[in-house]
């Protein structure tokens, strides 16, 4: 069993829809939770970063962490065609630098 | 002024060859990494260096040897390439400890034929 599980999709939504992306994990020591966006043939770029439980909002993006359920989410409001990419969740433990990634969810926003 | 740059971007080579991938970061970070992304997009860490010192060495064949001449550079040398080594290799950097999260390069797409 992988430490981080993520539905690979693909996920197709119409422009303007609310998108929900999720990951579950098994290691309760994870304290730092990230979402990366990866466009085709590019490297992952950091989108959101959350420490421990709670919510964090940045423009149209909201990251949620529920440590009791070992579940994290990324919500995208008013989705745009430019949001079409693969979204990777990642997490790490305190004091360690290496990230554990989910397999990524491929999102397509249709104009 | 790219933050994390890798060369080459594409690499096609025959089985048995030896090849190197170079990485440089200009972010002033003290920690650098190599990650491998397989055909299913799964990213997994291979190595991590902090201030030129190896701190993570995951279960990677010893045909893979990282080298860090200084904290801004981390190169990856691969001996005796195999078909299964075909993947995208990403270099990344971060500030160690509770500093910034990892910034990734654009990747090197390695194809072994």
């Amino acid at each position: 069993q992988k430490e981080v599980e993520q539905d690979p999709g693909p996920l197709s939504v119409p422009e303007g829809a609310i998108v929900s992306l999720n990951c579950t994990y098994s290691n309760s020591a994870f304290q730092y939770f990230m979402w990366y966006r990866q466009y085709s043939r590019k490297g992952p770029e950091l989108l959101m970063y959350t420490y421990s439980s709670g919510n964090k909002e940045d423009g149209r993006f909201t990251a949620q962490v529920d440590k009791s359920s070992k579940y994290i989410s990324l919500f995208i409001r008013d989705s745009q065609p430019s949001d079409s990419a693969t979204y990777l969740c990642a997490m790490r433990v305190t004091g360690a630098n290496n990230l554990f990634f989910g397999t990524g969810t491929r999102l397509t926003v249709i104009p | 002024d790219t933050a994390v740059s890798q060369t080459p971007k594409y690499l096609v080579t025959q089985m048995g060859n030896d090849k190197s991938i170079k990485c440089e970061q200009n972010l002033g970070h003290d920690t650098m990494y190599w990650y491998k992304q397989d055909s299913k997009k799964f990213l997994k860490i291979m190595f991590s260096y902090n201030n030129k010192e190896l701190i993570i060495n995951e279960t990677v064949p010893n045909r893979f040897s990282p080298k860090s001449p200084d904290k801004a550079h981390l190169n990856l040398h691969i001996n005796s390439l195999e078909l299964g080594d075909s993947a995208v290799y990403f270099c990344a950097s971060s500030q160690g400890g509770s500093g910034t999260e990892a910034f990734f390069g654009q990747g090197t797409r390695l194809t072994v034929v």
Side-chain angles (χ1 to χ4, degrees), chain B residues 38-55:
Chain B
D38 62 22
S39 56
K40 295 185 178 179
K41 292 278 194 179
F42 182 58
L43 260 173
K44 186 170 181 188
I45 191 161
M46 300 173 70
F47 301 102
S48 172
Y49 269 75
N50 178 264
N51 282 320
K52 303 194 302 175
E53 185 180 336
L54 179 66
I55 56 172

Side-chain angles (χ1 to χ4, degrees), chain B residues 4 8 13 16 18 22 39 52 91 99 101 109:
Chain B
V4 182
T13 188
D18 303 338
K22 294 186 176 181
S39 56
K52 303 194 302 175
C91 177
E101 296 308 322
R109 186 171 294 270

